[in-house]
Amino acid sequence: MARPSPSPHKPRRKAKQAASATSSLSNVSLVESHGARAPAFPLAAFLWPARGTVSQWELLPLILMAAGLFRWAASLWGYSGFERPPIFGDYEAQRHWMEITTQLPISQWYFHDLQWWGLDYPPLTAYHSWLCGRLGSLINPSWFALFSSRGSHDPTLKIFMRATVIVSEYLVYVPAVVVFVRRYSRLSGVATWSASVALVAILMQPATILIDHVHFQYNTVMLGLVVASMSSMLAGRHLWASIFFVAALGFKQMALYYAFSVFAYLLGSCVFPRINVSHLFTIAAVTAVSFLILILPLVVGTVSDTRRGIDSRPDIDGPRPPLPLFQGLARYLDTESFYYPVVEQLVQMVHRIFPFARGLFEDKVANFWCALNLAIKLKKYPPELLQRGALLATLASIIPPNLVLFLRPRKDLLPLAFASTAWGFFLFSYQVHEKSVLLPLMPMTLLLAGSHGLSKNIRAWVGLANILGCWTMFPLLQRVDLAMPYAVLTLLWACLLGLPPASFRVYFHEGGNTWSQWLTLILHGPFYLAMALWHVLARFVRPPTDKPDLWVVANVAVGAAGFSLCYLWCLVRLAMQSELLPGSWFGRKEKTKTQ
């Protein structure tokens, strides 16, 4: 009798079996043994009852509700520009963009009254503002009445504006982070409970809450689209990764901080282990089509307005001067042609998005150029020279991590490569803002969800970067009376993860301390001491009259040094984890020892 042929179907391996096989590896960072198993830090203690007994589908809603509650509680504080004329602050800028996108023709969005918070973000931000403005107008049209609503501090409007931030975040950023953590933790062999602890730590990151939900912005929409792009890379869905990243660029131009890493990974995936030209061209085509779809409403709207006789610059009488980027180009274009208004609109959008005319920097930011300006006054040099210098320095800092990612297009290297590249942009690029530190902090914080992500070493470095990042934004927050939420949210996060100044146990291993941990303490200790001392001096000691910005300058110097250290740590760890360096045996040895 013939034996029946085996079924070609192979049953899917159960996730529970994979989790149990690696549970000892993934939970080692969360447990300390002092005669009995106990959580290693407070956040693990909070979730301790849920280990092994609660389904992730029961735990996840609780995490999301708790994170949302903290965000809404943080939004009860003040915001940027509250009762601070003449132009108020970022809150007014976002409200005003909702106003102009709902009250003006689309062709006038990037031209209208540029002295009063003129629109200077890409089209997707404008479309988002239009949607929020439309919804708000259904509740109270006076909130977005052109001119008459400027500087409005209506309490009900504040509730609406705060709600738009939370809803936008829970529609984009939160789902992207949840999916990324799940995929990255499975890739790294991290158990479900450990991944849940990492998810809470990421969602409670103080810098994003302080800037978006207290100071007021929509950075998490852009960050969420970038995380969605990274998550698609983890899933091998490169076309979706391209679409999500184009959307991120379309929301905020600062997403360019990650562009080299996206390009390096996708190109490397098409070259290694074998060249796949068709896939490369498909990615390029999808990216181009995504950009075209992004600007299509702006183009179609401009053509429609032109046919209806609507002028994009109605406030200018007589001959209209050419736009700044049109000085040489206008001579070769027919100003009466049908395409001229579209070209003019796109040129104006680019000019508004990339403000090269503003100089190397406007405010004191903890990056290389502002720190260098303390010793050498850079403004005496020609702007063109400073632009070239910034370009060369930025390229020198971002080429190494992206060369590693191109040669080793591995999924586990994505957070380190993205963090290294974003640190390079933040430290050396042109026109950096204090809030831009959110961009390198995001991928660096995602390391918590990876292999050994909640170990003392990685927690120490991720903790230093986040606490230092919040500290460098303190002068910005203090100017708008937001020192209290800064202190509460930063110290709360440090306490939850067992970090300084709440605890220094993160620098000491149970049963003896390694030389690397002592080295980490020696590197980090001066920064925590400097931050604490700075707060005391800034609070009780008045700076000299001839140096009124003394404490802000000190903040810049310390922050730039700390961020440079974080950049180097991410870059070295990336190179060693990629096994491109001869010393990469250390990473393999550490992994083998833990397993």
Side-chain angles (χ1 to χ4, degrees), residues 366 374 468 471-472 526-527 530-531 534 553-564:
L374 302 179
L468 190 64
W471 179 72
T472 58
F527 289 101
M531 286 187 279
W534 183 91
V553 167
N555 185 289
V556 166
V558 174
F563 293 152
S564 299

Side-chain angles (χ1 to χ4, degrees), residues 298-557:
L298 189 66
V299 171
V300 173
T302 300
V303 172
S304 176
D305 288 348
T306 302
R307 289 181 176 177
R308 291 185 294 160
I310 298 176
D311 191 355
S312 62
R313 292 190 278 176
D315 54 330
I316 298 178
D317 297 325
R320 299 195 303 180
L323 298 173
L325 295 182
F326 255 75
Q327 300 296 335
L329 188 61
R331 292 178 298 179
Y332 304 99
L333 297 176
D334 181 7
T335 58
E336 302 300 325
S337 64
F338 73 94
Y339 62 81
Y340 184 80
V342 174
V343 176
E344 185 182 49
Q345 186 72 226
L346 298 179
V347 168
Q348 174 68 357
M349 179 186 68
V350 172
H351 173 66
R352 293 294 300 161
I353 291 173
F354 299 103
F356 290 109
R358 297 182 189 176
L360 186 62
F361 56 87
E362 288 183 286
D363 209 346
K364 296 179 176 63
V365 184
N367 74 344
F368 173 79
W369 300 114
C370 290
L372 181 63
N373 189 63
L374 302 179
I376 304 173
K377 298 304 177 184
L378 296 177
K379 292 187 177 180
K380 66 182 181 182
Y381 294 100
E384 296 78 9
L385 178 63
L386 297 178
Q387 290 178 12
R388 294 192 188 99
L391 176 62
L392 292 176
T394 304
L395 289 176
S397 66
I398 67 175
I399 286 176
N402 290 293
L403 185 60
V404 171
L405 190 61
F406 169 71
L407 296 174
R408 291 286 192 273
R410 286 176 15 200
K411 299 173 182 179
D412 61 304
L413 301 180
L414 284 173
L416 281 170
F418 273 63
S420 303
T421 304
W423 279 125
F425 268 99
F426 179 83
L427 287 168
F428 299 106
S429 65
Y430 203 83
Q431 268 292 315
V432 173
H433 196 280
E434 302 102 312
K435 296 188 285 289
S436 298
V437 76
L438 294 178
L439 282 88
L441 288 181
M442 183 273 289
M444 194 169 177
T445 307
L446 291 178
L447 290 172
L448 297 175
S451 178
H452 307 288
L454 292 169
S455 66
K456 291 186 175 182
N457 183 51
I458 294 183
R459 263 193 298 135
W461 281 98
V462 172
L464 175 69
N466 276 277
I467 293 172
L468 190 64
C470 292
W471 179 72
T472 58
M473 291 189 292
F474 179 77
L476 171 71
L477 298 169
Q478 187 183 39
R479 285 198 297 267
V480 289
D481 302 324
L482 297 177
M484 182 60 70
Y486 154 82
V488 171
L489 292 172
T490 305
L491 292 176
L492 172 65
W493 194 77
C495 180
L496 287 175
L497 291 182
L499 299 168
S503 171
F504 283 86
R505 292 177 62 187
V506 73
Y507 295 105
F508 301 100
H509 283 304
E510 181 184 359
N513 302 304
T514 64
W515 65 268
S516 61
Q517 211 66 18
W518 278 108
L519 178 61
T520 304
L521 176 61
I522 293 172
L523 291 174
H524 292 187
F527 289 101
Y528 283 111
L529 181 62
M531 286 187 279
L533 182 61
W534 183 91
H535 274 300
V536 173
L537 293 176
R539 178 67 178 86
F540 297 105
V541 179
R542 181 173 298 179
T545 54
D546 59 332
K547 297 179 180 178
D549 295 332
L550 176 63
W551 305 131
V552 178
V553 167
N555 185 289
V556 166

Side-chain angles (χ1 to χ4, degrees), residues 175-308:
V177 169
V178 170
V179 174
F180 178 89
V181 168
R182 183 171 301 166
R183 288 175 176 169
Y184 192 58
S185 61
R186 286 178 179 173
L187 175 70
S188 306
V190 176
T192 301
W193 178 66
S194 302
S196 298
V197 175
L199 176 62
V200 177
I202 295 168
L203 293 180
M204 291 298 295
Q205 184 188 28
T208 53
I209 298 178
L210 282 169
I211 294 303
D212 276 25
H213 299 278
V214 181
H215 189 272
F216 198 90
Q217 276 198 344
Y218 296 93
N219 292 290
T220 49
V221 176
M222 178 268 292
L223 294 175
L225 291 169
V226 174
V227 176
S229 179
M230 296 173 66
S231 182
S232 298
M233 295 176 193
L234 293 182
R237 299 169 182 169
H238 296 162
L239 300 184
W240 277 109
S242 303
I243 293 171
F244 282 127
F245 188 69
V246 169
L249 283 172
F251 196 85
K252 285 198 173 185
Q253 60 271 34
M254 284 82 78
L256 283 170
Y257 279 33
Y258 308 116
F260 277 75
S261 295
V262 173
F263 176 77
Y265 179 80
L266 293 179
L267 181 61
S269 299
C270 294
V271 174
F272 303 103
R274 58 182 178 275
I275 298 177
N276 191 340
V277 178
S278 61
H279 189 52
L280 177 61
F281 276 103
T282 303
I283 292 175
V286 169
T287 302
V289 171
S290 300
F291 272 112
L292 290 175
I293 294 174
L294 182 68
I295 65 172
L296 186 61
L298 189 66
V299 171
V300 173
T302 300
V303 172
S304 176
D305 288 348
T306 302
R307 289 181 176 177
R308 291 185 294 160

Side-chain angles (χ1 to χ4, degrees), residues 145-200:
L146 203 60
F147 300 112
S148 63
S149 60
R150 289 185 175 181
S152 173
H153 295 296
D154 184 342
T156 311
L157 171 62
K158 176 186 175 181
I159 294 174
F160 171 77
M161 295 290 284
R162 294 295 199 190
T164 61
V165 177
I166 292 181
V167 171
S168 298
E169 181 169 346
Y170 268 70
L171 287 175
V172 181
Y173 179 76
V174 171
V177 169
V178 170
V179 174
F180 178 89
V181 168
R182 183 171 301 166
R183 288 175 176 169
Y184 192 58
S185 61
R186 286 178 179 173
L187 175 70
S188 306
V190 176
T192 301
W193 178 66
S194 302
S196 298
V197 175
L199 176 62
V200 177

Side-chain angles (χ1 to χ4, degrees), residues 74-142:
S75 69
L76 297 178
W77 271 295
Y79 50 84
S80 170
F82 178 66
E83 295 182 350
R84 289 179 179 270
I87 62 172
F88 305 95
D90 283 351
Y91 175 89
E92 169 60 20
Q94 302 293 338
R95 188 210 61 82
H96 178 60
W97 294 349
M98 297 178 191
E99 178 179 82
I100 63 176
T101 54
T102 54
Q103 302 299 320
L104 295 175
I106 193 171
S107 60
Q108 297 179 4
W109 288 2
Y110 284 98
F111 291 94
H112 177 75
D113 197 359
L114 302 182
Q115 299 305 313
W116 184 273
W117 296 116
L119 182 60
D120 56 2
Y121 278 173
L124 194 56
T125 285
Y127 307 151
H128 175 264
S129 298
W130 175 84
L131 178 60
C132 293
R134 285 292 185 187
L135 294 175
S137 297
L138 296 176
I139 301 173
N140 189 342
S142 66

